[in-house]
Amino acid sequence: MGELRPVSALDWRGSDGEPAGALVIRGARVVDPREGVDATHDIVVRDGEIASIEEAGAADAAEAEVIEAEGLTLVPAFFDPHVHLRTPGREDKEDIETGSRAAAAGGFCGIIAMANTDPPVDAAGDVTALREQAREQAAVPTGFVATVTKGMLGEELSEQGDLAAAGAVGLSDDGLPIRSARVMRRALQYQRLVDLPIALHEEDAELSAGGSMHEGEVSAALGIAGIPSISESTMIARDCALAGFEQGRIHVQHLSASESVAAIEAAKAAGVRVTCEATPHHLTLTDEEVRGLDSQFKMNPPLRTEADRQALIEGIRSGAIDCIATDHAPHTSNEKEVPFEQAAMGVIGLETAFAAVYTDLVLPGVLELATVLERLGGGAEPFGLETPRIAPGAEANLTLCDLDAEWEAGAEGWESRSDNSCFSGRRLRGRILITVAAGRVAYRQRSFALGVAA
Ligand SMILES: [Zn+2]
Ligand SMILES: [Zn+2]
């Protein structure tokens, strides 16, 4: 992999060349575990970078916007390597503007959009068009992957060289697995020439065919066809073996099962270049939620058992799982408000990611805040981007949150165009107040905006 690029190398409205104004964030508890920082400071942002980290109250605020942040917590902004923006084709669910706004509202300074659109993003011209749109519409830096195979048909490889030249940040047939080991192997051989990471939705379509939820006690009780854990873990094992054999580099998406964590651990121990992610919903919920047949708990991979959830948490703790990604997957209510087995798979997740994990895992003492912050930033590097950090000279990618604020998910609506959240109506702790991407305020929470001195 070449040199890491700053997150702002992705396309967004801030790509317009206008210099970012100066900003002073005063008196926040600044927490960046990677930099070993946890203390009260003033942070000065100039020209898109963190100019200095000073004693609280010491920063010179001349000609800067001042954000009074006493009692609040400032952390490195998050990066989500796995979102669905649904454009082209399904702008009734989401588009670049609404999806990136949801990301900013969730504390994310950058996102990567999947390619399973209608039609799929499988040609250089598609990537170029999306990048142009992002420069007009995206509230935060937005990268685009292109498909591994033409039309996501799993047969013929997309033109990796042309896609890389057009600025695709990676390749993925997400939504579908790559069924053929031969096609997967060829993709890894081409990767040697173009060096784009390949992100994988791991599922053996034969094993999961017809399934709507995790195969286990709950599916048996409900009489619903299940998706077994080995559907995921056997494909992870296959692709790790292929990546090892071809000296390739893969990123495994949305781990859901304990067997999958074990497969990743074994591959990493064997020296395979593999990174992976887990979602907030798989870290906080289990298939017990499905007993009520509420389709907001239907996603692929499915929610699994408590033992699986514990294995994912342990993977986050140990670092076997590199990052938390949302797999933000907007759907219309028409596609969700139908019987469980017919409902579309997927949930939105950008606006609740931090609060869900903070409420269910950090507050009860299951995971350290530091670990969660590291994993929420861990999705940048697998795609060749610098991890957001709070240090002088670093790009200013910052999230200001109120860890004590309690709010009801969805009560004030969503920035996303869709509302299919599995956390709707839940009381959550931890509210994102401001997101700064490359030195620009990309999001400001409404109630907080009133209290900000100009
Ligand atoms: Zn997927
Ligand atoms: Zn996905």
Side-chain angles (χ1 to χ4, degrees):
M1 190 164 57
E3 282 277 281
L4 296 178
R5 300 184 297 161
V7 171
S8 68
L10 301 177
D11 298 290
W12 65 309
R13 289 201 298 252
S15 310
D16 61 8
E18 295 270 316
L23 205 59
V24 171
I25 303 169
R26 221 191 254 294
R29 173 188 170 203
V30 179
V31 183
D32 182 352
R34 279 198 174 84
E35 296 293 321
V37 180
D38 187 350
T40 303
H41 288 292
D42 286 358
I43 300 281
V44 181
V45 173
R46 269 183 223 288
D47 303 322
E49 294 184 349
I50 295 173
S52 61
I53 301 176
E54 304 187 22
E55 296 272 295
D60 173 11
E63 287 168 55
E65 180 191 344
V66 177
I67 296 171
E68 297 294 349
E70 217 171 296
L72 305 175
T73 304
L74 187 72
V75 299
F78 318 139
F79 187 88
D80 193 342
H82 189 163
V83 306
H84 296 270
L85 296 181
R86 302 300 190 207
T87 190
R90 289 307 303 268
E91 291 81 3
D92 56 323
K93 299 184 185 192
E94 198 78 288
D95 60 24
I96 292 174
E97 186 171 8
T98 57
S100 64
R101 219 162 57 207
F108 293 88
C109 67
I111 52 175
I112 294 176
M114 294 298 111
N116 62 336
T117 48
D118 185 15
V121 180
D122 66 358
D126 304 335
V127 175
T128 304
L130 284 168
R131 292 188 59 195
E132 276 170 18
Q133 278 182 50
R135 284 196 289 275
E136 298 282 314
Q137 299 172 17
V140 296
T142 300
F144 298 91
V145 299
T147 63
V148 178
T149 65
K150 285 185 182 161
M152 284 179 65
L153 297 173
E155 291 159 10
E156 210 183 327
L157 293 180
S158 305
E159 301 291 346
Q160 292 191 11
D162 292 353
L163 294 166
V169 297
L171 300 167
S172 180
D173 276 5
D174 180 45
L176 293 175
I178 296 169
R179 287 185 181 225
S180 161
R182 180 180 55 82
V183 170
M184 183 64 210
R185 183 182 179 195
R186 295 271 291 158
L188 289 163
Q189 289 168 338
Y190 273 99
Q191 189 189 51
R192 280 190 224 145
L193 306 173
V194 292
D195 199 28
L196 284 179
I198 300 176
L200 297 164
H201 169 118
E202 299 288 28
E203 175 181 8
D204 183 318
E206 306 286 330
L207 288 173
S208 57
S212 294
M213 64 175 296
H214 171 65
E215 179 187 294
E217 264 175 53
V218 181
S219 70
L222 293 170
I224 290 178
I227 300 171
S229 293
I230 50 163
S231 165
E232 179 176 281
S233 59
T234 54
M235 283 292 272
I236 293 176
R238 183 200 80 174
D239 287 339
C240 286
L242 288 170
F245 185 73
E246 295 294 350
Q247 308 276 293
R249 178 160 64 94
I250 58 173
H251 177 74
V252 175
Q253 300 176 301
H254 46 48
L255 254 64
S256 67
S258 65
E259 292 89 339
S260 303
V261 181
I264 292 285
E265 284 171 340
K268 284 188 169 181
V272 176
R273 291 191 297 161
V274 56
T275 53
C276 65
E277 62 188 40
T279 71
H281 48 272
H282 288 108
L283 288 166
T284 60
L285 303 171
T286 69
D287 61 349
E288 288 295 330
E289 305 288 343
V290 180
R291 283 191 194 274
L293 295 177
D294 180 346
S295 65
Q296 302 304 2
F297 298 105
K298 182 175 179 184
M299 61 286 279
N300 191 19
L303 299 174
R304 298 197 189 271
T305 67
E306 180 60 17
D308 293 306
R309 189 178 81 91
Q310 291 300 332
L312 296 175
I313 290 170
E314 189 47 46
I316 288 286
R317 194 182 285 126
S318 72
I321 298 173
D322 302 84
C323 58
I324 295 172
T326 65
D327 193 8
H328 177 84
H331 288 297
T332 62
S333 41
N334 284 347
E335 292 164 306
K336 278 294 197 182
E337 286 164 11
V338 293
F340 189 85
E341 285 159 284
Q342 287 144 43
M345 289 172 151
V347 289
I348 59 170
L350 287 163
E351 295 169 69
T352 50
F354 174 74
V357 172
Y358 183 72
T359 303
D360 283 0
L361 300 177
V362 177
L363 281 179
V366 176
L367 287 173
E368 306 263 352
L369 176 63
T371 307
V372 166
L373 294 176
E374 287 192 36
R375 301 296 173 265
L376 281 166
E381 214 175 295
F383 291 86
L385 299 162
E386 290 168 3
T387 306
R389 62 198 182 94
I390 302 181
E395 187 166 90
N397 294 312
L398 302 162
T399 294
L400 183 67
C401 41
D402 183 349
L403 295 180
D404 298 321
E406 197 177 273
W407 58 292
E408 183 187 323
E412 293 166 27
W414 302 98
E415 299 292 339
S416 170
R417 187 162 288 148
S418 295
D419 63 1
N420 55 307
S421 166
C422 56
F423 298 109
S424 276
R426 277 275 311 275
R427 303 288 306 173
L428 298 175
R429 280 271 298 278
R431 189 95 220 233
I432 308 301
L433 300 179
I434 284 190
T435 304
V436 175
R440 292 160 202 265
V441 176
Y443 171 76
R444 213 185 283 263
Q445 208 256 329
R446 261 168 293 169
S447 60
F448 185 67
L450 302 171
V452 175

